[in-house]
Amino acid sequence: MEIVHLLRAVAVDLGRLSTRFAQRNGMHPTDVRALIALMDAARADEETTAGHLGTALGLNSAGTTALVDRLERAGHVRRVRGARDRRKVTIEVDERAVALGCSYFGPLIDRAVDLLRGYDERELAAVRGFLTGMRKAAV
């Protein structure tokens, strides 16, 4: 149970950090979750429509439209025609939003990477397996 409690504490700490970032930048916590989902999709070379984003965040159509409109007005995202299917409108994160996130979360990411460098491949596989399993368990 100690590890489960530590994981909960990390989740709470990361949530608090994300909330502070949102507040300091005039955003709603859902805005931050949306930007993360969009950046994760871009890293996986996946185009994201508003519908896909809404599903990922558990929002209805009206809530998703309001979210994307708000992020677009703030300059964090843009609507573009899909590269694979020009009939689709996809949502992309603006480079300025990425830079904003990196300026705030970058030091934490650097510390995490430094920490992980202290683990061997077997230990990294165990950590990866545990976190992957927890993500599945949390759905």
Side-chain angles (χ1 to χ4, degrees):
M1 287 304 294
E2 177 187 3
I3 290 174
V4 171
H5 291 184
L6 284 169
L7 180 62
R8 185 213 52 222
V10 168
V12 169
D13 292 343
L14 291 175
R16 207 172 316 143
L17 187 67
S18 182
T19 298
R20 269 196 307 266
F21 172 78
Q23 289 171 341
R24 288 182 184 178
N25 291 287
M27 300 167 74
H28 187 277
T30 303
D31 298 351
V32 178
R33 289 179 37 232
L35 291 171
I36 291 167
L38 290 165
M39 288 187 290
D40 287 348
R43 262 192 301 280
D45 197 30
E46 298 170 357
E47 293 182 333
T48 305
T49 64
H52 290 128
L53 181 61
T55 299
L57 298 174
L59 299 175
N60 64 25
S61 180
T64 302
T65 298
L67 167 71
V68 174
D69 286 348
R70 185 171 61 242
L71 290 173
E72 190 174 40
R73 275 193 309 275
H76 297 309
V77 302
R78 59 187 166 274
R79 290 173 166 100
V80 297
R81 291 281 169 199
R84 296 178 188 100
D85 180 350
R86 303 287 299 156
R87 296 170 296 177
K88 285 193 324 189
V89 174
T90 62
I91 314 300
E92 292 182 355
V93 176
D94 188 272
E95 297 79 20
R96 293 169 295 179
V98 173
L100 180 66
C102 286
S103 70
Y104 188 84
F105 293 104
L108 173 63
I109 293 168
D110 291 342
R111 288 190 300 271
V113 169
D114 286 344
L115 182 62
L116 289 168
R117 284 190 182 115
Y119 293 89
D120 65 31
E121 285 305 315
R122 187 181 60 71
E123 293 168 322
L124 289 173
V127 170
R128 191 177 297 111
F130 174 74
L131 292 175
T132 300
M134 283 303 302
R135 288 198 71 204
K136 289 177 184 172
V139 180

